[in-house]
Amino acid sequence: MNRSFKTVAIIGKYADPNIGDTLKTLHQQLRARNCAVIIDADTAASINGLDIPSASREQIARQCDLAIVVGGDGTLLAAARSLSDTGIPVLGVNLGRLGFLVDVWPDEIATRLDQVLSGQYTEEDRLLLQARVERNGSTVMESAALNDVVIHKWQVARMIEFQTYVDGMFVHTHRSDGMIVSTPTGSTAYALSGGGPIVHPGLDAVVLVPVCPHTLTNRPIVVSSASRIEIVVGQIGQNASQITCDGQVTERVETGDRVIICAKPRKLRLLHPVGYEYFGILRSKLHWAENP
Amino acid sequence: MNRSFKTVAIIGKYADPNIGDTLKTLHQQLRARNCAVIIDADTAASINGLDIPSASREQIARQCDLAIVVGGDGTLLAAARSLSDTGIPVLGVNLGRLGFLVDVWPDEIATRLDQVLSGQYTEEDRLLLQARVERNGSTVMESAALNDVVIHKWQVARMIEFQTYVDGMFVHTHRSDGMIVSTPTGSTAYALSGGGPIVHPGLDAVVLVPVCPHTLTNRPIVVSSASRIEIVVGQIGQNASQITCDGQVTERVETGDRVIICAKPRKLRLLHPVGYEYFGILRSKLHWAENP
Amino acid sequence: MNRSFKTVAIIGKYADPNIGDTLKTLHQQLRARNCAVIIDADTAASINGLDIPSASREQIARQCDLAIVVGGDGTLLAAARSLSDTGIPVLGVNLGRLGFLVDVWPDEIATRLDQVLSGQYTEEDRLLLQARVERNGSTVMESAALNDVVIHKWQVARMIEFQTYVDGMFVHTHRSDGMIVSTPTGSTAYALSGGGPIVHPGLDAVVLVPVCPHTLTNRPIVVSSASRIEIVVGQIGQNASQITCDGQVTERVETGDRVIICAKPRKLRLLHPVGYEYFGILRSKLHWAENP
Amino acid sequence: MNRSFKTVAIIGKYADPNIGDTLKTLHQQLRARNCAVIIDADTAASINGLDIPSASREQIARQCDLAIVVGGDGTLLAAARSLSDTGIPVLGVNLGRLGFLVDVWPDEIATRLDQVLSGQYTEEDRLLLQARVERNGSTVMESAALNDVVIHKWQVARMIEFQTYVDGMFVHTHRSDGMIVSTPTGSTAYALSGGGPIVHPGLDAVVLVPVCPHTLTNRPIVVSSASRIEIVVGQIGQNASQITCDGQVTERVETGDRVIICAKPRKLRLLHPVGYEYFGILRSKLHWAENP
């Protein structure tokens, strides 16, 4: 057994009472392999009859050296944000449907645990973004994002307007339904629906994807993840814009607000089962043709 | 002088006090050509010192045989909807910026009036849509649209879901930011930003453009304008969707609501100055290359 | 038995010796249902041991009142062009892989024949195009097309240039890899790969899809099928362009050539098995979500 | 005067006799600033009455410490490839039309020369690719590219097929009109027409853009420029594919050929006038809105 994974956190799909059996099995399998197990308090609250010590995310961050997330990609996104400053590696178990991020199948958990605990896994470092909203010089909102930071219209039928800067250089004034600032991880999520490219997670890049831009030449732009991206909310769509991180954390933004987006210094340590292929998951999810 | 245009309505840009001089000049020019002139009551309310008889849209519909709209495309859209059942032809005067619909330049009004009143103009019939929202068997909202009917997410960061039917035939279940149902006129507006094709106004067609669809093969679909389009709001995004006509008329829609969209029996009679070319306006607005 | 289908032609996949058994079975089934059967001479030439009277396409056109095409969509495209002036209905049998056009499965032929011969089928009229290349006033090439007419670069790495006219109206000067002029039938083929919309076959429309246009706003344009489309080959890419109909008929075009594309007066009568749904085939071929 | 630029090469637009006066003026201005000047032999061959010592590209590479290219982006592409292993910086002078790469205007040459020779300029390092075609274990073609390496159909109307690998990992089997492998520099050229994103030249990335892919989910992919990209030509389109570098160097490829594409170890040193902004050129070329 790999001595680096002694205390393992279990984080389950939000408010889903149906995953109780999967979590109990996972708990027993971890105990049988001599791991201490802590369950996320929010997860525990939704499930009856769990006999596992629970703890807050903060406690998990202090005590655990591996987090196993059971659910869909959304569950893993939320867990990744909450653990983003800790360096704790994360392993994703799906619930019967392959995700881009949760790629251990429930019926292979036992085998995969044996492998992971003995050091047989593929570790991939995934870029996280940090978004900060500045209003009149003060920070009014801050959040991490593993997929994307989106500034988008809200409670309004018409487009909004903003100015974009990269490393202090003016890019353009832009009218659209919104702007997606995506990590490589997020490039196969909402950004792809918006017309953005697929960005390999091994590339330290961020992609800016305008949503339904009024000017057709306002195409997706890929920049270095070392860039400081700044988006200033314009007059049009005043008080009708919103910032959203990973589709999960939202906040109203106002005309004149500056949204500053940078890479987080620490990346997410995402663990995959042995044999993981990034393009293999894409082939499966996107119905690409296999090698004949 | 063309005897068919004896009483002319003037409809100006909404709540814009700066167009007073343009309207006064237009009024004088019409009077000098022996036309009776009525100004739209809403327009008159925003402008000081106008000495023109004003009337409601309903009165205009009964009394006038030509409406001259002064403003941008948005002004003409609103006027067209309000006159959509009347058959009154509409002529659009822009305020110094060419529109897709308002193509008489302010400095050529006198010449153009002489031409139009003597029958020298190009008349184009433009398809209008009628949207109706049915909830539990009752109609809860109804509106005309010259550009587009959009069902879109509202106060929610994530995608919404709906089922689409054309003439009772199931098309697909669809997750996206929304669905644009556009006339040929609207095909160069929001639908174009959403990835839809340009549809010539001489074609009796309607285009369905999904906005950022989750499934990348959910591409725009062009169907006959004789089709009955029905969009049923799904579970996802429950109570978080909105219907918007021409970006101007909006109403909340709920899970289970049926949005029924059909062509209006009567088209808009849109007048253009002599020499009008549909593709010429596109070349200008879309920066297409000219014939060398 | 429907008296209108007394003499049936069989047309098979081009130069495929493996379809012999399928054709023999089909032949027996037709004979058992009292149909006279003629096999296409080109098809017969590739297959040993067929004991069916064969005839040229011209003879088939004179003698048959139904053509059954066995193969892929490409086989049906070629058959449709060769029969395009005859009004003979066409039924497509696939070889184990659903096509957009060949939608009778080989293992259901017997049932489908019973139905079709007794008048139980869905008939759909599909628009055909006629393309003609004019050089110095003479016609140098002419062909029908069921999917599309494409003017594209050939033996050249760089883009070509042409001018487009619709009903004599200048559209634009256009630099790209080529221009696809597609029927509704072709809108789910090459035109879709080029970024065009899906056009319902019930709509009398033609779509012009530029391939990799240099000017990003040169978007697909949908016009009435009553339009006369004219594409003039420009200076750039001189002697390096080609016209191709349905990906099957090709001819070199030169600077100054005029390609004139119109709807054929007669449509293809395409027969489908009972229960046919146009959108059902799209859902299957494009991996769209089903109604849950 | 900056002592690093003592001997300057002039390279002009290919086979253009009309640039003689511009080159003579440039020559005089360089001489007046105490620079030794050598003109590219190919350039000199097209122009009468030039009294400047000429030399081959190889000699230029040995003797010069700055190359000034006069022409369009295509001229600079060709010059960059020929100097790609030398480290000689390149400055581009346009002929009255702004290029993405040639951004010194002809009427400001004198001022810009003063600045550049005194060290006032912006240097940008631009990634170059090296493409190599392997057939039965032998290299049959090799070329550098500053914009893109394209494998595309040639003398064939239908799509071609190939398999793509990144760092030995299988990506997909892919049917399309071709595949563009583009540098950040090339991302605003052909790759943009093909639907690729704009990639900032400061990012060490390469983008793979399929041209009209048969499978709609075969979207552009951005990978690290440290990747080894390998494209294997498939059965379909046998003997009908071509490789093209920068739209200028072409060679036939055959079924089974392996095209290997890597970043060149040395980047192009591209000089810009003081005040250069990458996004400023994009705003101008792509008609983006300015900051109001």
Side-chain angles (χ1 to χ4, degrees):
Chain A
M1 289 298 154
N2 185 321
R3 294 295 73 198
S4 49
F5 300 151
K6 279 174 287 190
T7 306
V8 178
I10 297 177
I11 300 175
K13 190 178 171 190
Y14 180 70
D16 185 342
N18 300 318
I19 60 169
D21 288 346
T22 305
L23 299 192
K24 284 170 196 163
T25 305
L26 176 59
H27 174 232
Q28 286 158 11
Q29 290 168 326
L30 285 164
R31 293 294 296 145
R33 285 160 181 82
N34 292 319
C35 293
V37 181
I38 297 174
I39 195 158
D40 168 56
D42 286 344
T43 305
S46 316
I47 298 169
N48 292 325
L50 270 189
D51 187 24
I52 317 176
S54 71
S56 70
R57 293 284 164 104
E58 290 69 28
Q59 291 169 309
I60 287 175
R62 277 197 303 275
Q63 298 172 30
C64 297
D65 32 43
L66 173 66
I68 299 182
V69 171
V70 180
D73 284 342
T75 311
L76 198 139
L77 290 171
R81 286 199 312 281
S82 70
L83 300 173
S84 65
D85 294 320
T86 68
I88 298 177
V90 174
L91 179 73
V93 177
N94 66 53
L95 296 168
R97 188 164 163 273
L98 180 67
F100 284 103
L101 301 171
V102 288
D103 55 357
V104 172
W105 293 89
D107 57 5
E108 57 173 28
I109 290 182
T111 314
R112 293 309 189 186
L113 277 187
D114 283 339
Q115 293 175 334
V116 169
L117 294 176
S118 65
Q120 296 175 58
Y121 54 81
T122 300
E123 181 173 333
E124 213 183 23
D125 288 347
R126 294 285 183 114
L127 179 74
L128 289 149
L129 296 176
Q130 182 75 1
R132 189 161 58 81
V133 181
E134 235 181 69
R135 186 174 302 150
N136 305 320
S138 311
T139 297
V140 295
M141 184 262 197
E142 204 159 1
S143 172
L146 177 56
N147 260 354
D148 45 40
V149 179
V150 185
I151 293 96
H152 56 103
K153 68 180 187 184
W154 188 258
Q155 284 196 299
V156 71
R158 295 160 173 240
M159 60 194 173
I160 58 175
E161 186 191 52
F162 31 76
Q163 284 118 45
T164 302
Y165 298 81
V166 172
D167 289 330
M169 306 297 284
F170 174 60
V171 178
H172 52 38
T173 289
H174 176 252
R175 292 180 187 187
S176 68
D177 280 6
M179 175 74 97
I180 306 166
V181 180
S182 171
T183 64
T185 298
S187 73
T188 52
Y190 186 35
L192 195 63
S193 294
I198 294 164
V199 181
H200 191 279
L203 185 70
D204 284 328
V206 171
V207 54
L208 286 75
V209 179
V211 180
C212 298
H214 183 253
T215 298
L216 299 181
T217 57
N218 282 158
R219 292 278 290 268
I221 302 175
V222 188
V223 300
S224 165
S225 66
S227 304
R228 182 186 196 270
I229 295 160
E230 190 171 335
I231 297 173
V232 183
V233 181
Q235 287 292 336
I236 293 180
Q238 182 165 13
N239 300 330
S241 298
Q242 193 92 358
I243 182 173
T244 301
C245 293
D246 291 346
Q248 296 177 338
V249 180
T250 68
E251 187 75 35
R252 180 68 63 100
V253 291
E254 297 176 5
T255 297
D257 282 2
R258 311 179 87 77
V259 180
I260 295 134
I261 301 164
C262 294
K264 287 188 82 78
R266 206 161 198 166
K267 291 188 179 179
L268 173 69
R269 297 175 57 196
L270 183 63
L271 305 194
H272 298 286
V274 170
Y276 163 77
E277 288 179 74
Y278 173 71
F279 291 116
I281 290 186
L282 263 60
R283 286 194 298 275
S284 174
K285 299 284 290 181
L286 298 177
H287 303 285
W288 288 352
E290 285 297 322
N291 206 348
Chain B
M1 291 297 155
N2 185 322
R3 294 296 71 200
S4 49
F5 300 150
K6 280 175 287 193
T7 307
V8 178
I10 296 177
I11 300 176
K13 190 178 171 189
Y14 180 70
D16 185 342
N18 300 318
I19 60 169
D21 289 346
T22 305
L23 298 192
K24 284 170 196 164
T25 305
L26 176 60
H27 174 232
Q28 286 159 11
Q29 290 168 325
L30 285 164
R31 294 293 297 142
R33 285 160 181 82
N34 292 319
C35 292
V37 181
I38 298 174
I39 195 159
D40 168 56
D42 286 342
T43 305
S46 316
I47 298 168
N48 292 326
L50 270 190
D51 187 24
I52 319 176
S54 72
S56 71
R57 292 284 164 104
E58 290 69 27
Q59 290 169 310
I60 286 175
R62 277 197 303 276
Q63 296 172 31
C64 297
D65 32 44
L66 174 66
I68 299 183
V69 172
V70 180
D73 284 343
T75 311
L76 197 138
L77 290 172
R81 285 198 312 281
S82 71
L83 300 173
S84 66
D85 294 320
T86 67
I88 297 177
V90 174
L91 180 73
V93 177
N94 66 53
L95 295 168
R97 188 163 165 273
L98 179 67
F100 284 102
L101 301 172
V102 289
D103 54 356
V104 172
W105 293 89
D107 57 6
E108 56 173 28
I109 290 183
T111 315
R112 293 311 188 183
L113 277 187
D114 283 340
Q115 294 175 335
V116 168
L117 294 176
S118 65
Q120 296 175 56
Y121 55 82
T122 300
E123 181 173 332
E124 213 183 23
D125 288 347
R126 295 284 183 113
L127 179 74
L128 288 150
L129 296 176
Q130 183 76 1
R132 189 161 58 80
V133 180
E134 235 180 69
R135 184 175 304 151
N136 304 321
S138 310
T139 296
V140 295
M141 184 264 198
E142 206 160 359
S143 172
L146 177 56
N147 261 355
D148 45 40
V149 179
V150 185
I151 293 95
H152 56 103
K153 69 180 186 182
W154 187 258
Q155 283 194 302
V156 71
R158 295 159 173 239
M159 59 193 173
I160 56 175
E161 186 190 52
F162 31 77
Q163 284 117 46
T164 303
Y165 299 81
V166 171
D167 288 330
M169 304 298 284
F170 173 59
V171 178
H172 52 39
T173 289
H174 176 252
R175 292 179 187 187
S176 69
D177 280 6
M179 175 74 97
I180 306 167
V181 180
S182 171
T183 64
T185 298
S187 74
T188 52
Y190 185 35
L192 194 62
S193 293
I198 295 164
V199 181
H200 190 279
L203 185 69
D204 284 329
V206 171
V207 54
L208 287 74
V209 180
V211 180
C212 298
H214 182 253
T215 298
L216 300 180
T217 56
N218 281 156
R219 292 277 291 268
I221 302 175
V222 188
V223 299
S224 164
S225 65
S227 304
R228 182 184 195 269
I229 295 160
E230 190 169 334
I231 296 173
V232 182
V233 181
Q235 286 293 336
I236 293 182
Q238 182 166 14
N239 300 329
S241 299
Q242 193 92 359
I243 183 173
T244 301
C245 293
D246 291 345
Q248 297 176 337
V249 179
T250 68
E251 187 74 33
R252 181 68 62 98
V253 290
E254 296 176 5
T255 298
D257 282 3
R258 311 179 86 77
V259 180
I260 295 134
I261 301 165
C262 293
K264 287 188 81 78
R266 207 162 197 164
K267 291 188 177 178
L268 173 70
R269 297 174 57 196
L270 183 63
L271 305 193
H272 298 286
V274 169
Y276 163 78
E277 287 179 74
Y278 173 71
F279 291 116
I281 290 185
L282 262 60
R283 286 195 297 276
S284 174
K285 298 285 288 182
L286 297 176
H287 303 286
W288 287 352
E290 286 295 324
N291 207 347
Chain C
M1 290 296 156
N2 185 322
R3 295 294 72 200
S4 48
F5 300 151
K6 280 174 286 191
T7 306
V8 178
I10 297 178
I11 300 175
K13 192 178 170 189
Y14 180 69
D16 185 343
N18 300 317
I19 61 170
D21 289 346
T22 306
L23 299 192
K24 285 170 196 165
T25 305
L26 176 59
H27 173 232
Q28 287 158 10
Q29 290 168 326
L30 284 163
R31 294 293 297 144
R33 285 161 182 81
N34 293 319
C35 292
V37 181
I38 297 173
I39 194 159
D40 168 55
D42 287 344
T43 305
S46 316
I47 299 169
N48 293 324
L50 269 189
D51 186 24
I52 319 177
S54 71
S56 70
R57 293 285 164 103
E58 290 68 28
Q59 291 169 307
I60 286 174
R62 277 197 303 275
Q63 297 171 31
C64 297
D65 32 44
L66 173 66
I68 299 183
V69 173
V70 180
D73 285 342
T75 310
L76 198 139
L77 290 171
R81 285 199 313 280
S82 70
L83 300 173
S84 65
D85 294 320
T86 67
I88 297 177
V90 173
L91 179 72
V93 177
N94 65 53
L95 296 168
R97 189 163 163 274
L98 180 67
F100 283 104
L101 301 171
V102 289
D103 55 356
V104 173
W105 293 88
D107 58 4
E108 57 172 29
I109 290 182
T111 314
R112 294 310 188 185
L113 277 186
D114 283 339
Q115 292 175 335
V116 167
L117 294 176
S118 67
Q120 296 174 59
Y121 55 81
T122 300
E123 181 173 332
E124 213 184 23
D125 289 348
R126 293 286 182 114
L127 179 74
L128 288 149
L129 296 176
Q130 182 76 0
R132 189 162 57 82
V133 180
E134 235 180 70
R135 186 175 304 151
N136 305 320
S138 311
T139 295
V140 295
M141 183 263 197
E142 204 158 3
S143 173
L146 177 56
N147 260 354
D148 44 41
V149 179
V150 184
I151 293 97
H152 55 103
K153 68 179 187 184
W154 187 260
Q155 283 197 300
V156 71
R158 294 158 174 243
M159 60 194 172
I160 57 175
E161 186 191 53
F162 30 77
Q163 283 118 45
T164 303
Y165 298 81
V166 172
D167 289 329
M169 305 299 284
F170 174 60
V171 177
H172 51 39
T173 289
H174 176 253
R175 294 180 186 186
S176 69
D177 280 6
M179 175 73 97
I180 306 165
V181 180
S182 170
T183 64
T185 298
S187 73
T188 52
Y190 187 35
L192 195 63
S193 293
I198 295 164
V199 181
H200 191 280
L203 185 70
D204 285 329
V206 171
V207 54
L208 287 74
V209 179
V211 179
C212 298
H214 183 253
T215 298
L216 300 181
T217 57
N218 282 157
R219 292 277 289 268
I221 303 175
V222 188
V223 300
S224 165
S225 66
S227 305
R228 182 184 195 271
I229 295 160
E230 190 170 333
I231 296 174
V232 183
V233 180
Q235 286 293 336
I236 294 181
Q238 182 165 13
N239 301 329
S241 298
Q242 192 91 359
I243 182 173
T244 301
C245 292
D246 290 346
Q248 296 177 338
V249 180
T250 68
E251 187 75 34
R252 181 69 61 100
V253 291
E254 298 176 4
T255 297
D257 282 2
R258 312 179 85 77
V259 180
I260 295 134
I261 301 163
C262 294
K264 286 188 82 77
R266 206 161 199 165
K267 291 188 179 178
L268 172 70
R269 296 174 59 197
L270 183 63
L271 305 194
H272 298 287
V274 170
Y276 163 77
E277 287 179 74
Y278 173 72
F279 291 116
I281 289 186
L282 264 59
R283 287 195 297 275
S284 174
K285 299 284 288 180
L286 299 176
H287 302 286
W288 288 352
E290 287 295 324
N291 205 347
Chain D
M1 290 298 155
N2 184 322
R3 296 293 72 201
S4 49
F5 300 150
K6 280 174 288 193
T7 306
V8 178
I10 297 178
I11 300 175
K13 190 178 172 188
Y14 180 69
D16 185 343
N18 300 318
I19 60 169
D21 288 347
T22 305
L23 298 192
K24 285 171 196 163
T25 305
L26 175 59
H27 174 232
Q28 287 159 11
Q29 289 168 327
L30 284 164
R31 294 292 298 141
R33 283 162 182 81
N34 293 319
C35 292
V37 180
I38 297 174
I39 194 158
D40 168 55
D42 287 343
T43 305
S46 316
I47 299 168
N48 292 324
L50 269 190
D51 187 23
I52 319 177
S54 71
S56 70
R57 292 284 164 103
E58 290 69 27
Q59 291 169 310
I60 286 175
R62 278 197 302 275
Q63 297 172 31
C64 297
D65 32 45
L66 174 66
I68 299 183
V69 172
V70 180
D73 284 342
T75 310
L76 198 139
L77 290 171
R81 284 198 312 280
S82 70
L83 300 173
S84 65
D85 294 320
T86 67
I88 297 176
V90 174
L91 179 73
V93 176
N94 66 53
L95 295 168
R97 188 163 164 274
L98 179 66
F100 283 103
L101 300 171
V102 289
D103 55 355
V104 172
W105 293 90
D107 58 4
E108 57 172 28
I109 290 182
T111 314
R112 294 310 189 183
L113 276 187
D114 283 340
Q115 293 174 335
V116 168
L117 294 176
S118 66
Q120 296 175 58
Y121 55 81
T122 299
E123 181 173 331
E124 212 183 23
D125 288 347
R126 293 285 182 115
L127 179 73
L128 289 149
L129 297 176
Q130 181 76 1
R132 189 162 57 81
V133 181
E134 234 180 70
R135 185 174 304 151
N136 305 320
S138 311
T139 295
V140 295
M141 183 262 196
E142 206 159 0
S143 172
L146 177 56
N147 261 354
D148 45 41
V149 179
V150 185
I151 293 98
H152 56 102
K153 68 179 187 184
W154 186 258
Q155 285 195 301
V156 71
R158 295 160 174 238
M159 59 193 173
I160 57 175
E161 185 191 53
F162 30 77
Q163 283 117 46
T164 302
Y165 298 82
V166 172
D167 288 329
M169 305 298 284
F170 173 59
V171 178
H172 52 38
T173 289
H174 177 252
R175 293 179 187 188
S176 68
D177 280 6
M179 174 73 97
I180 306 166
V181 180
S182 170
T183 65
T185 298
S187 74
T188 52
Y190 185 35
L192 194 62
S193 294
I198 294 164
V199 181
H200 191 279
L203 185 70
D204 285 329
V206 171
V207 55
L208 287 74
V209 179
V211 179
C212 298
H214 182 253
T215 298
L216 300 181
T217 57
N218 281 157
R219 292 278 290 268
I221 303 176
V222 188
V223 300
S224 165
S225 66
S227 304
R228 182 185 195 271
I229 295 160
E230 190 170 334
I231 297 173
V232 182
V233 180
Q235 287 292 337
I236 294 182
Q238 182 165 14
N239 300 328
S241 298
Q242 192 93 358
I243 182 173
T244 301
C245 293
D246 291 346
Q248 296 177 338
V249 179
T250 67
E251 188 74 34
R252 180 68 61 101
V253 290
E254 298 176 3
T255 298
D257 282 2
R258 311 180 85 77
V259 181
I260 295 134
I261 300 164
C262 294
K264 286 187 82 77
R266 207 161 197 165
K267 292 188 177 177
L268 173 71
R269 297 175 57 198
L270 183 63
L271 305 194
H272 298 286
V274 170
Y276 162 78
E277 287 178 74
Y278 173 72
F279 291 116
I281 289 186
L282 263 61
R283 287 195 297 274
S284 174
K285 299 284 288 182
L286 298 176
H287 303 287
W288 287 353
E290 286 295 323
N291 206 348

